[in-house]
Amino acid sequence: MYWFDTVGTIPDGVGFSHFDLVHLLWLLFGVALTAVLCAAYTRASNRVRRILRLTVGTLILLDEAFKWFTLLVGGNASVSYLPFHLCSINILLIAVHMFKPTKLIDNFLYLICIPAAIAALLFPTWTELPPTSLMHIHSFTVHILLAAYPLMLTIGGDIRPTLRQLPYCLLILIGMAAAVYGINVLLDTNFMFLMDADKGNPLYWFKQAWGNHLLGFPVLLPAVFGVMYGIYYAVKAIRKKASR
């Protein structure tokens, strides 16, 4: 049943494909769960909002703990699973944010965490794993929750992105990348996909076209930032016009 297998131990041919039925069902589940959480959060009192923040944040931490339980029981724990991928770093930021939110973390979660989690869900790197694998389940559920938490707060009006925070978010991201690159060199890992990009990863397109996947970052990041700010300010303008 491959319960405790990982992408490094699973035999070939038992996984799923991008946008097949398994993948689409997970995406549908993610959209439905996020919609329910956003609707509940928007209508909730401040007390209930705090409970929802703590609940979703705690579920994210428990999901990460579930990953390590699966790895340890299966004997597959390794340095490649340390929390240095961008989404794993976002887990730590949410752990801080649910108790002590700040404008900087607000903006980072909106600008970086949401698109990173959505990208992981749309282009999963764990396609080798079948639905019976616990790591398959973890990989989908944790990224769904990582997207849902900041979306819930943004739609509820508690996270209010601003262009003033963009330079600081970018500096943090660059600082993270520099530190993680050093870790990759030291441990021979590929955290944040700084060393390579496999097929299915959007960065792979730049590797094929230009010979280096890293060239995708200066192209994709401005595009992502433009989309995220564009959506937020467009919705804000529509709401303002509708309230007149």
Side-chain angles (χ1 to χ4, degrees):
M1 295 293 287
Y2 312 113
W3 290 112
F4 296 101
D5 275 294
T6 67
V7 292
T9 66
I10 200 80
D12 293 334
V14 298
F16 66 100
S17 301
H18 286 153
F19 304 107
D20 67 359
L21 181 59
V22 170
H23 190 191
L24 290 175
L25 286 174
W26 272 114
L27 293 178
L28 181 62
F29 170 73
V31 170
L33 177 62
T34 302
V36 169
L37 287 172
C38 289
Y41 194 85
T42 301
R43 297 185 179 96
S45 64
N46 288 336
R47 177 179 170 276
V48 175
R49 285 188 174 204
R50 176 174 171 77
I51 292 172
L52 284 171
R53 285 197 304 272
L54 292 175
T55 299
V56 177
T58 301
L59 286 174
I60 292 171
L61 294 175
L62 289 174
D63 208 321
E64 181 69 6
F66 173 74
K67 178 190 81 173
W68 281 102
F69 168 80
T70 299
L71 292 170
L72 291 170
V73 170
N76 297 317
S78 70
V79 294
S80 64
Y81 290 101
L82 291 173
F84 297 121
H85 272 300
L86 184 55
C87 286
S88 297
I89 295 171
N90 285 328
I91 291 174
L92 302 178
L93 289 177
I94 287 175
V96 173
H97 185 273
M98 64 180 180
F99 293 107
K100 192 172 180 59
T102 67
K103 288 184 179 180
L104 181 55
I105 301 179
D106 281 353
N107 279 263
F108 194 91
L109 291 180
Y110 176 79
L111 198 61
I112 307 297
C113 183
I114 292 174
I118 290 175
L121 289 168
L122 291 176
F123 307 102
T125 57
W126 55 90
T127 53
E128 294 94 335
L129 300 175
T132 53
S133 164
L134 296 178
M135 285 297 290
H136 171 110
I137 296 169
H138 155 76
S139 298
F140 274 111
T141 54
V142 76
H143 286 101
I144 289 170
L145 291 171
L146 280 170
Y149 180 92
L151 277 170
M152 179 177 74
L153 271 68
T154 303
I155 292 174
D158 287 347
I159 287 181
R160 300 178 182 180
T162 172
L163 282 168
R164 292 179 182 178
Q165 294 291 331
L166 175 58
Y168 303 108
C169 291
L170 192 56
L171 282 174
I172 291 174
L173 184 61
I174 292 172
M176 285 179 178
V180 169
Y181 184 86
I183 292 171
N184 283 335
V185 172
L186 182 65
L187 300 180
D188 190 26
T189 48
N190 188 32
F191 296 120
M192 294 179 69
F193 305 110
L194 293 175
M195 314 307 284
D196 196 13
D198 296 325
K199 289 183 178 179
N201 187 323
L203 292 171
Y204 183 77
W205 308 335
F206 296 91
K207 178 181 177 179
Q208 291 290 92
W210 296 341
N212 191 329
H213 74 289
L214 293 177
L215 296 174
F217 285 107
V219 175
L220 292 176
L221 284 177
V224 168
F225 294 161
V227 169
M228 294 303 290
Y229 279 121
I231 291 173
Y232 179 77
Y233 284 113
V235 171
K236 187 177 179 180
I238 292 170
R239 285 180 173 178
K240 185 177 180 179
K241 185 176 181 180
S243 64
R244 289 177 181 174

